[in-house]
Amino acid sequence: MINFFRKIRYRLAKNNQFFKYSRYAIGEIVLVVIGILIALQINSWNADRINNQEERRYLIRLTDEVRSELNYLKDLRDIFFDRSKGLNRIIEQWQSGNSVVEDTAQYLQDYSYGSGLDPWYREPITWTQLQQSGDLNLLKNKNLTDDLFVFYSEVNKLGDNFVLNPMKEFVNTREKLNVPLINDGGVIIIFKYVGALYVKKEKIQINKEIFNKIWNYREELLPSFVRVSGICQFQVVKLQEVIETGEVLLKKLEKSLINN
C-alpha cells in the first residue's frame, strides 16, 4: 500500500501535476469557506430581520399599554381629586356648626367618599411578558428600556404603598361610616340613595333622620375624614408625578416607532 502511494506521488511529481492539484484543492476549500460565511451572514440578516419585526411588535404593544395606563392613572387622579373636594366640603360643614343640608344628594355622596377606594394597581401585561420571556434584549434602545423600568417601578411602588397604608385608614373609616346608620342598613343605604338620585335620576324621599344621625356622630367621624381627605390629596400629587413620567416615556415610544 505504501508503495502504491509512492508511485502516485512519483507520477504527480514527474508530470508536474502535484502543485496543480494542490491549488485546485485549496481553491475548493476557499469556496467552501466562502459559502459557509455567506450562509452564516444570510442567517444573521434573517435573524436580525425577525428580531426587528418582533421589536416593532413589542414597541407597538408597549406604546398602546403605556397610553392605556396613562388614561387609567389620569382617571384615578381625577377620582381622588373629586373625593378630596367632596370630603373637604363635608368637613367644612361639620366644622362650621351648620347642620342644614342644602344639596342632600351631594351631601350623601360626600359622606360615602369617606369609604375611600379599593386597591387600584393592575399588572402591565406586555411589560411583564417582556421581562419574564427574556425578550427584553430585543429592545435595542437601552435608554428606552431604562425609562420603562422607571415608569412601571413608580406605578408599582405607588400602588403597593397605597395598599400598605391608605387602605388601612379607608377600612377603619368605612367601619365608622356604618355606625350611625347601622339600624338603617349601614352605609349601603347611602349608596342606594346616591345611585337613585344620580344614576337612575329618581326622585326619592330621603329619611331626614339619617342626616341627624350623621350630624350627631360627626365629632367621631371628623378625624377620620380629615385623614382620608389628606390621603386623597397625596394620591393626586403622586399620581400626577407618575403621569408626567409616563407622558415623557410615551413620546419616546412613539418616536421609536417612527424611527423603527
Side-chain angles (χ1 to χ4, degrees):
M1 181 65 69
I2 293 176
N3 291 333
F4 174 76
F5 283 110
R6 281 177 178 172
K7 290 178 180 178
I8 293 176
R9 185 179 62 179
Y10 174 77
R11 195 177 302 118
L12 290 173
K14 181 178 179 180
N15 297 329
N16 199 26
Q17 294 180 347
F18 178 76
F19 293 106
K20 182 190 297 184
Y21 283 104
S22 296
R23 288 195 296 270
Y24 175 78
I26 292 171
E28 285 291 312
I29 292 172
V30 170
L31 288 175
V32 171
V33 171
I34 292 173
I36 292 173
L37 292 175
I38 291 174
L40 290 174
Q41 185 62 50
I42 292 173
N43 287 337
S44 177
W45 287 338
N46 189 50
D48 288 342
R49 180 181 61 80
I50 293 173
N51 287 341
N52 288 337
Q53 291 175 346
E54 192 66 17
E55 179 192 25
R56 182 168 180 80
R57 280 193 287 268
Y58 270 121
L59 286 173
I60 292 172
R61 290 174 58 191
L62 284 168
T63 302
D64 291 340
E65 186 170 79
V66 170
R67 186 181 292 111
S68 173
E69 185 69 11
L70 281 173
N71 290 333
Y72 173 65
L73 294 176
K74 289 175 182 178
D75 289 342
L76 194 63
R77 176 202 59 193
D78 294 343
I79 290 172
F80 276 115
F81 180 74
D82 289 341
R83 296 202 168 208
S84 174
K85 285 175 59 179
L87 290 166
N88 287 336
R89 276 194 299 266
I90 202 168
I91 288 170
E92 289 175 4
Q93 180 157 9
W94 286 350
Q95 291 176 331
S96 71
N98 179 16
S99 62
V100 179
V101 177
E102 296 181 0
D103 188 339
T104 56
Q106 185 66 67
Y107 184 86
L108 291 176
Q109 187 173 54
D110 292 345
Y111 184 77
S112 70
Y113 285 161
S115 62
L117 291 177
D118 292 325
W120 52 263
Y121 177 74
R122 59 183 190 180
E123 194 75 24
I125 297 174
T126 302
W127 177 241
T128 301
Q129 180 184 346
L130 256 179
Q131 295 178 86
Q132 293 180 351
S133 65
D135 287 341
L136 197 58
N137 59 353
L138 289 172
L139 302 183
K140 294 188 287 292
N141 188 336
K142 299 310 174 187
N143 290 330
L144 182 60
T145 303
D146 292 341
D147 290 340
L148 283 162
F149 268 114
V150 170
F151 173 66
Y152 282 113
S153 295
E154 288 183 3
V155 175
N156 195 326
K157 182 179 179 181
L158 186 59
D160 286 347
N161 288 340
F162 180 80
V163 173
L164 289 175
N165 297 312
M167 277 305 303
K168 295 179 181 178
E169 189 62 47
F170 287 156
V171 171
N172 292 334
T173 306
R174 286 173 190 172
E175 293 175 355
K176 291 181 180 179
L177 291 179
N178 278 316
V179 174
L181 309 174
I182 194 68
N183 294 327
D184 301 290
V187 76
I188 298 298
I189 191 69
I190 301 297
F191 294 126
K192 178 182 177 181
Y193 283 144
V194 171
L197 290 168
Y198 280 108
V199 180
K200 298 179 182 178
K201 304 297 182 181
E202 295 179 2
K203 291 184 178 181
I204 60 173
Q205 185 66 34
I206 303 175
N207 184 355
K208 292 184 178 180
E209 185 63 23
I210 287 178
F211 295 100
N212 293 332
K213 291 177 179 179
I214 292 174
W215 179 257
N216 293 332
Y217 198 67
R218 71 187 187 284
E219 293 298 331
E220 287 77 6
L221 289 170
L222 190 56
S224 295
F225 270 61
V226 171
R227 287 193 293 269
V228 170
S229 175
I231 290 171
C232 290
Q233 292 173 34
F234 178 79
Q235 293 297 311
V236 170
V237 173
K238 301 307 291 184
L239 282 166
Q240 181 58 35
E241 291 176 358
V242 175
I243 288 168
E244 290 173 1
T245 301
E247 287 176 336
V248 173
L249 170 62
L250 181 59
K251 290 180 181 178
K252 291 182 179 180
L253 283 167
E254 291 171 342
K255 185 177 180 180
S256 295
L257 274 176
I258 294 173
N259 298 330
N260 191 276

